[in-house]
Amino acid sequence: MNIQGIGILSGTGRGIKSFEQALERGPATPKVSMYSPATNKEIPVFSIDNALLKDPLVLKSSRRADRFCRMAVLAAWDALADSGIKIREEEKLGVIVATAFGPHKTTFNFLDNILDYGDAAVSPTIFSHSVHNAAASYITSALNTQGPVSTLTDFCFPFHEALRLAEAWINQGRCQYVLIGTVDELSPAMEYICDQKCDINEEGKMKPFEFSDKAQTVPGEGSVFFLLSKNEENTKYCRIKRKNEAAVADMFILESDGMITDETVYKQLDTGDANLFNASPIFGGMMSSTGFHCASAALMLKNDRIYSKFAQDQNSHARNSPDNIVSVKYCCNRNKAIVRLTK
Amino acid sequence: MNEHISIASMGCISAAGKNMAETLQTFKQGHVNIGKITLFETDLDKPAFEVKDYVLKRKNRTLSLLLTAVEEALENYDGNLAGSKYRIGICIGTTVASQLNNIKFYKEFKETGRSDISPVNEYLKGNLADALAREYKLNGPKVVVVNACSSGADAIGTAMSWLKNDQCDIAIAGGADELNKIPVCGFNALGIISDKPCAPFDKDRKGLNLGEGAGVLILERAKITSKINARPELFIAAYGSGSDAYHLTAPHPDGRGLKSAISEALFQANITCGQVGFINAHGTATPDNDKVEGKVIKELFGPEIKMYSSKGYTGHTLGAAGAIETVFTALALKEGWVPKSAGFKNKDEEIGISPLKQNTKVNSKYALSTSLAFGGNNAALLIKKEA
Amino acid sequence: MGEENKKLKIIRKKLKVLLVDHLSLEDIKPEDIKDDEILFGEGLGLDSLDAVEIVVLLQRNFGLEVKDLNKGREIFYSIDTLAKYVAENMDEKAE
């Protein structure tokens, strides 16, 4: 499949241009969040300013949309806009949203309602936003598209599974284009969970190339969408394919972001043959970060360059720009999933 | 791409029965096993369809229900999962199991800024597809589909896409959901839970009852079935889906997503509406759903089409519904009869079509199962019986 | 009558604040909503999900139960009709 457009929303901003500039600038400084007034505990997080989630045009029929849905709608809309493609009705646009945790913050709001008002006086609006597919519903409404749509969830490989389904839909002829993306959000409770389950680097620094068995992270949130087409001509960015095994590559993106504490397994890719890369210090650690890594790869392939501030070999600008990037993610029990991006 | 997908085996559990044989008995006798909510405490006095006298297989009730249905499917399955030379995928639909919704964890965190993390660990272990992959040591594609009330149907559709696209050879596909406090409170707030046993398509219908259960199918690429099982009998002929692009909770008034889902399924199978023998409708018994769905069915298939909703026997099992009803549809094709639409008494002239009032013999090659969901997701699965 | 009107005025004001806060009416201030403005469809543009949300708001804030949403259609016509319903039914409770 071809990447024809990218929409992205992360702690550093909205839009692929802003992401490109962030790659240029180098590691970003996270914000500080106090997840509970009861404990005063502060942790660094790459969170999205609420001001970024306002857009009267795109969100004109989404007044009730929660943060999770807003993040997804904006990224999906931007991906389509970035492609510059006007999809004709008979071509059909599919939409696949993938997430690790879904709109858990809204689920917690709903629990607040039960605790505060009792079983009989909860908000139906909050309930209807607590289902994982609310975001996909807002996307289809905003884009007025009636093609196939699905929301998938998986803790380890949500983006890979979305990619698998997108490929099947396009091959089956169910649609000519597919918008696929991931969305995951932070909340006080999620920050607490990250603080309990992960080792958070208090200075807000991510160290993807240490291959440590006690890797640290800085939690992040965001949404990234890709407009994919089967059409082999005129790709705006690059080709993308989910693979079972890593083939040769000029660059490996290691998705080592400290969400899984033992990262020693990534060391086997540090052979010196291929450049290693990881732009997590822009957007933070996320179970669903693969899309963000793929966006960085797509920009390098499109722009014929390496964003060397995120390469293991900081002098890598001396190297040839990559033609063939493989993004590798290891998750629980060292299960592995791979996306290959090529010119 | 047009490879046939056979239903090698099935299993289901709901208030209508803990397996397929019990379910058929319930249908035959017209029993409606509805009662007070006993699974959790609630101030809401609403009836629901619980699976009674059920010994949990796991602490996680949704996973437990799923395992019960999978085990039934495996008992009837001629192949083997363990040590199989084939690639086996897992695709399960749900709503409740995907949510981090432990009230105790959240309440404690909110009050003190700390909370015992073990409910979160349970949640992280509770991804249904992961749990099945661990249980049966499978490493094919696996994912959980979360399209609210069409999740079960879409999970089957997703597994079909994998099979047709050579991502795997065999797939365990279905859906599961337990009766849970959150949807009970939520649907009540939406004003669509009935105080009485639900009456799908009835002119005096007052809303749905919630239920719980699981439905599972073992699907195979037909060329593999012919190696394992001499003569496959039931097939998923096609799957179609479409989005309303209309509203988060209300169906499109003309049912445009449902129409496009049904049309896609018929087109893929290359058949006409006239070849569909009967329809297991979504029929939740909410005023909106039944009006839109009934009108679409009447418009496409005519007022004489044999049609029923099984929600009168199971309640609305949310993420499981599409899968449970696919099992029911396939069973009906195989057995040659469909149950009456429990709860229905009087025709709603605004809909203009009545569901079956009696258990009815059918002799057709094709049957359809439809699903409509919040978020405007619509799905249609076309089941085929090979004579 | 004066007492009655005063009470209606207070209820109308409270209803407007509740609607703006709980129905996510962006860029609308409570005082922007006219007393006789049609709430659903044309007018303020509320829909079926807002209707059930208003039912819950009435329950939480005024202890009122609207059982029949068909009857609700008349009650929910405007802030005026809503306020009258609230006032009348609160009186019954007080008696």
Side-chain angles (χ1 to χ4, degrees), chain A residues 36 108 112 119 122 127-128 130 132-133 137 140 145-146 149-153 164 168 171-172 174 192 197 242, chain B residues 42-43 98-99 106 110 113 115 121 141 144 146-147 161 165 167 181 186 189 239 241 243 256 264 374-375:
Chain A
S36 167
F108 288 142
D112 271 334
D119 297 359
V122 293
F127 171 67
S128 58
S130 72
H132 281 47
N133 66 325
S137 173
T140 57
T145 173
Q146 284 137 57
V149 50
S150 199
T151 301
L152 309 176
T153 186
R164 183 198 302 278
N171 286 346
Q172 277 180 283
R174 295 197 73 202
Y192 170 73
K197 305 275 303 173
R242 194 196 54 80
Chain B
T42 172
D43 322 332
S98 64
Q99 291 182 334
Y106 180 64
K110 204 180 142 187
S115 192
N121 292 335
V144 166
V146 275
N147 292 339
S161 286
N165 204 42
Q167 299 283 340
K181 185 177 174 112
Y239 158 78
S241 73
S243 124
R256 70 176 173 190
E264 186 187 7
F374 274 7

Side-chain angles (χ1 to χ4, degrees), chain B residues 152-386:
Chain B
D154 291 323
I156 294 167
T158 301
M160 282 186 65
S161 286
W162 292 349
L163 292 161
K164 289 187 174 229
N165 204 42
D166 196 25
Q167 299 283 340
C168 58
D169 307 304
I170 300 171
I172 302 175
D177 253 321
E178 66 186 57
L179 187 76
N180 182 283
K181 185 177 174 112
I182 289 180
V184 168
C185 295
F187 280 99
N188 180 64
L190 284 159
I192 52 176
I193 296 191
S194 171
D195 293 325
K196 299 208 172 68
C198 66
F201 300 105
D202 192 279
K203 106 175 142 46
D204 299 314
R205 65 190 180 279
K206 292 276 189 284
L208 54 78
N209 311 128
L210 285 171
E212 60 176 355
V216 163
L217 298 93
I218 299 182
L219 304 177
E220 293 174 343
R221 300 165 77 175
K223 64 177 183 192
I224 290 184
T225 307
S226 56
K227 284 182 200 162
I228 298 174
N229 177 338
R231 217 172 66 103
E233 192 183 10
L234 294 164
F235 299 84
I236 309 251
Y239 158 78
S241 73
S243 124
D244 279 348
Y246 177 67
H247 192 269
L248 188 56
T249 55
H252 187 271
D254 301 327
R256 70 176 173 190
L258 179 61
K259 276 185 202 160
S260 79
I262 294 172
S263 310
E264 186 187 7
L266 296 177
F267 177 81
Q268 293 290 338
N270 198 18
I271 67 162
T272 62
C273 294
Q275 287 169 272
V276 174
F278 64 92
I279 299 172
N280 186 321
H282 189 60
T284 57
T286 64
D288 276 356
N289 177 85
D290 291 10
K291 185 163 79 187
V292 169
E293 187 183 20
K295 276 179 166 172
V296 167
I297 289 174
K298 185 189 169 202
E299 185 186 328
L300 297 179
F301 298 90
E304 299 305 318
I305 182 79
K306 294 189 181 86
M307 178 276 268
Y308 67 103
S309 163
S310 46
K311 299 280 196 300
Y313 298 102
T314 62
H316 192 350
T317 58
L318 304 179
I324 289 179
E325 286 158 26
T326 302
V327 173
F328 291 173
T329 310
L331 263 182
L333 264 183
K334 190 177 161 206
E335 300 287 321
W337 62 277
V338 292
K340 67 172 184 193
S341 203
F344 177 79
K345 286 196 187 72
N346 300 306
K347 184 173 177 179
D348 181 344
E349 291 302 336
E350 208 189 339
I351 300 176
I353 180 172
S354 296
L356 295 168
K357 288 170 102 163
Q358 300 296 333
N359 292 353
T360 306
K361 282 194 172 155
V362 287
N363 182 17
S364 68
K365 198 171 171 183
Y366 292 99
L368 191 71
S369 175
T370 49
S371 296
L372 288 79
F374 274 7
N377 280 60
N378 299 271
L381 282 155
L382 191 67
I383 321 296
K384 177 181 166 190
K385 184 176 82 168
E386 205 67 63

